[in-house]
Amino acid sequence: MGPPGAGKGTQGDRVAERFGIPRLSTGDMLRDARRGGTPLGGEARRYMDAGELVPDAVILGIVDEALGAPRAEHGFLFDGFPRTLAQADGLAALLGERDEALDAVLSLDVPDEELVARISGRRVCENGHVTHTGVVGDATECPVCGGRLSQRSDDHEETVRRRLGVYREQTEPLLEYYAKSDAGLTVVDGTGDVGEVSERLFRALDEVGTGTSA
Ligand code: AP5
């Protein structure tokens, strides 16, 4: 968990790789649907470009499908889900049906001024890699795969401000929800370089213990 630009995707990839589990990002699933021109993508577009949340029922539907996929059989990491109390309750029901439970809930903490700087410099490539102008300058080719770099359609200043507002109003209350849950909540400092933040996350996961060995 964490506000827009906190590093959920960047760190999620590293944590998922360390534990050998898939990162289930609802944002990526919606962007894939948009690229594929599916009805889901069409519906999601107007919410995403306005910085608003996609309706809970739609999100719970795609999460249910993702949990049923073979790659999620041995564990998974959610990125950007759940984002509302209704989604958290829906997730509890989906996990209950499968006799599964969350091992840990992590939240990345980053000050607002840094979030805005991170998002405004973010560049994404057509194959899904994420980088920053602080690393690639004004290059137009992805340093990982050579794909074309561009700015996400919801990374413009006005939309970013709305996304931050939506996070504070609708998602931040979940921190208290999870702090009181069996999984507990670990808040991790998301500032500093990417490797340092990963080390903090790995340490936090070692401390809480997980059902998956690293
Ligand atoms: P989503 O794609 O989930 O976006 P988000 O939560 O707004 O988060 P971001 O992807 O912007 O940031 P991030 O925390 O992953 O940061 P990143 O690692 O990229 O959702 C998009 C939209 O989809 C939502 O607005 C909503 O409409 C919809 N949606 C998705 N899930 C939904 C749900 N569950 N319910 C309803 N609607 C939903 O890093 C950001 C930048 O910072 C990058 O450039 C990166 O290179 C850089 N960076 C990362 N770490 C560091 C560091 N340590 N130091 C310096 N730079 C860093």
Side-chain angles (χ1 to χ4, degrees), residues 15-27:
V15 172
E17 190 184 341
R18 186 174 197 251
F19 285 86
I21 54 175
R23 174 173 69 93
L24 305 181
S25 156
T26 43

Side-chain angles (χ1 to χ4, degrees), residues 72-85:
E73 246 171 46
H74 304 292
F76 41 82
L77 172 75
F78 285 119
D79 161 0
F81 172 84
R83 270 168 134 108
T84 63
L85 288 168

